[in-house]
Amino acid sequence: MIISASCAWRLPALLAVLSVAVMSPARAEFQLDGDVSLRYDDTSQNDERSQYRMRAEAGYAFGPALSLHTFIATGTDYSSTYNTIDENDDEIHVRRLFLRYENDLGKLELGTIPTYKGRVSSTGLSENGWFKGLRGVLRHESGVWEIVLGELGDRSAQRALSPAQELNLIELEYARQLTEHWSYELGFEHMLDDEFLRVELRHESGDDVVYSVEAIHNTSANAGKFVAGMERTFNLGALPIDWYIYYAYAETGFGPRAALTEDFLDFGHALANEFSGAIADTDRLSWFLKAEVYESQIRGQLGVQITFQ
């Protein structure tokens, strides 16, 4: 079955497609990973809702260095991959399609590419988003250099694969591992007609705890965003629980990029707690719980997720 870049399916059809994908035998040069999740979402100022999400990443290797990749997900816009049950918005779209050439020195990506080169930062753009253009990554013993040239235009998932219209995105980034436990990233971005400076500092302790501090400043609007977080893993009985807590502050003048970042909660002060863990002794079935407190409202989410590969 061919999945077009723009289509609208009902939930049973989506489940059937992913079921076929999970049961299909995979050859060595083809890789398929994804997840299906259901969640209950409630906020203090809006009606409660039940939602579902389906995501799939596929890759085909033409050889040891060259490969083709795609990312397909539900949802209608840049940051959202959830459809609401009982509403007429059951959509799934191809959000990325790109070629990758990779060797020991780095990699090149061309097409509708991911927003990240590896791990997703809190002040980076949404992990479900995309750029239209190219990325170059150079690995050196002194650190990792990255450059992205392309377009960040229409943020509708329906038009993610439409041709780029102009060069309005430039991203330069340098990342370095200082010691076994300390690392940092420095970045410059030109996007959405603004310029940004970004810095990130991380400390990974030896007891499964990670502390991070990130700041990004819109030099054009003289406004910024700050995020401080902690990640750790602890055991509840025999099962591990992942915990992520972070505080975020975004100035109201920061601009539209704020809503596109990975851990955007709201303008002003916000605090979030996220928990997740396996259900029984399996890595494929898990649960997640989120509690978010903004200046103007409170939001809670509870859900389950099935992963496949």
Side-chain angles (χ1 to χ4, degrees), residues 122-123 197-201 212-218 223-229 244 246-252 254 257-258 261 263-271:
S122 291
T123 53
L197 296 176
R198 192 180 75 86
V199 60
E200 176 182 352
L201 181 65
S212 62
V213 176
E214 301 180 36
I216 182 168
H217 185 70
N218 184 335
K225 177 182 178 181
F226 173 82
V227 181
Y244 178 36
Y246 63 96
Y247 159 80
Y249 175 72
E251 295 181 280
T252 54
F254 186 77
R257 189 196 183 286
T261 54
D263 286 332
F264 177 72
L265 298 175
D266 199 356
F267 289 105
H269 300 276
L271 180 68

Side-chain angles (χ1 to χ4, degrees), residues 42 65 80 114 284 298:
D42 189 24
S80 174
R284 292 183 176 270
I298 299 174

Side-chain angles (χ1 to χ4, degrees), residues 164-176:
Q165 301 297 318
E166 60 177 328
L167 175 62
N168 62 8
L169 166 68
I170 301 174
E171 183 180 272
L172 300 172
E173 186 177 274
Y174 174 70
R176 183 175 182 180

Side-chain angles (χ1 to χ4, degrees), residues 8-29:
W9 291 346
R10 301 301 298 176
L11 178 58
L14 286 167
L15 290 171
V17 170
L18 289 180
S19 296
V20 171
V22 173
M23 294 184 292
S24 299
R27 293 174 293 173
E29 65 270 19

Side-chain angles (χ1 to χ4, degrees), residues 32-65:
L32 177 67
D33 301 281
D35 59 70
V36 180
S37 63
L38 298 171
R39 77 177 184 186
Y40 169 78
D41 184 14
D42 189 24
T43 59
S44 58
Q45 295 185 354
N46 296 292
D47 293 335
E48 60 187 11
R49 57 186 180 176
S50 297
Q51 297 181 300
Y52 69 93
R53 179 180 70 186
M54 300 182 182
R55 300 184 298 183
E57 292 185 88
Y60 183 86
F62 298 101

Side-chain angles (χ1 to χ4, degrees), residues 76-188:
T76 59
D77 59 50
Y78 194 90
S79 302
S80 174
T81 51
Y82 276 93
N83 289 336
T84 300
I85 299 174
D86 296 331
E87 291 187 6
N88 192 25
D89 65 348
D90 298 325
E91 298 189 22
I92 184 167
H93 302 284
V94 179
R95 292 171 174 249
R96 299 178 200 138
L97 182 63
F98 62 97
L99 285 170
R100 173 184 291 159
Y101 179 85
E102 186 169 15
N103 56 28
D104 293 338
L105 296 178
K107 65 181 177 181
L108 290 172
E109 295 175 339
L110 176 64
T112 303
I113 62 177
T115 55
Y116 51 88
K117 67 179 184 296
R119 179 184 53 81
V120 182
S121 300
S122 291
T123 53
L125 295 186
S126 170
E127 66 170 344
N128 300 299
W130 59 86
F131 295 144
K132 299 175 184 179
L134 62 88
R135 166 182 287 112
V137 177
L138 177 63
R139 303 186 183 99
H140 191 267
E141 59 183 12
S142 63
V144 179
W145 295 87
E146 176 192 16
I147 181 170
V148 176
L149 301 174
E151 180 191 57
L152 179 61
D154 193 332
R155 270 90 73 187
S156 170
Q158 184 178 9
R159 292 180 288 276
L161 299 191
S162 62
Q165 301 297 318
E166 60 177 328
L167 175 62
N168 62 8
L169 166 68
I170 301 174
E171 183 180 272
L172 300 172
E173 186 177 274
Y174 174 70
R176 183 175 182 180
Q177 188 77 33
L178 286 173
T179 67
E180 180 183 358
H181 301 293
W182 289 94
S183 63
Y184 71 88
E185 290 186 1
L186 301 173
F188 165 80

